[in-house]
Amino acid sequence: MISTISPVELLILVPVALLALCLPTFIAYRRGVERLGLVVVVSLIGAVTGLFWFVALVMAVSMRTRVPASTLRPSG
C-alpha cells in the first residue's frame, strides 16, 4: 500500500498530517487554556490511537482560558 505513494506525495502528506495532529495543541496554546499540558498529553496519545485526537480538539476549544494579568489589577 505505501509503495504506491510517490516521494513527492510523501513530502506533501507528512507535513500536512503532522500539522493536523498538532492542531489541538496549537488551538489550546493560542486560546491560552489553563491546562495546556493536559491537552498536549491527550493530543500525543491521540496521535497514536486516533480516538483521543478528537477529545483533545474538543478540550482545546472548550476549556477555560487563563485570566490575563492586566484584568487582575484595578484600573484607575
Side-chain angles (χ1 to χ4, degrees):
M1 178 174 182
I2 195 139
S3 63
T4 61
I5 298 175
S6 72
V8 174
E9 290 172 331
L10 275 178
L11 285 174
I12 295 169
L13 184 64
V14 169
V16 169
L18 289 175
L19 283 174
L21 289 174
C22 294
L23 187 63
T25 302
F26 292 144
I27 291 172
Y29 176 75
R30 292 291 294 161
R31 286 189 68 235
V33 298
E34 287 183 347
R35 301 191 63 191
L36 177 63
L38 180 63
V39 175
V40 171
V41 169
V42 173
S43 182
L44 287 174
I45 293 169
V48 176
T49 63
L51 173 67
F52 288 110
W53 183 87
F54 291 106
V55 173
L57 187 61
V58 169
M59 288 170 57
V61 297
S62 65
M63 288 181 87
R64 190 169 41 181
T65 58
R66 291 187 296 267
V67 177
S70 61
T71 60
L72 295 177
R73 287 182 243 136
S75 59

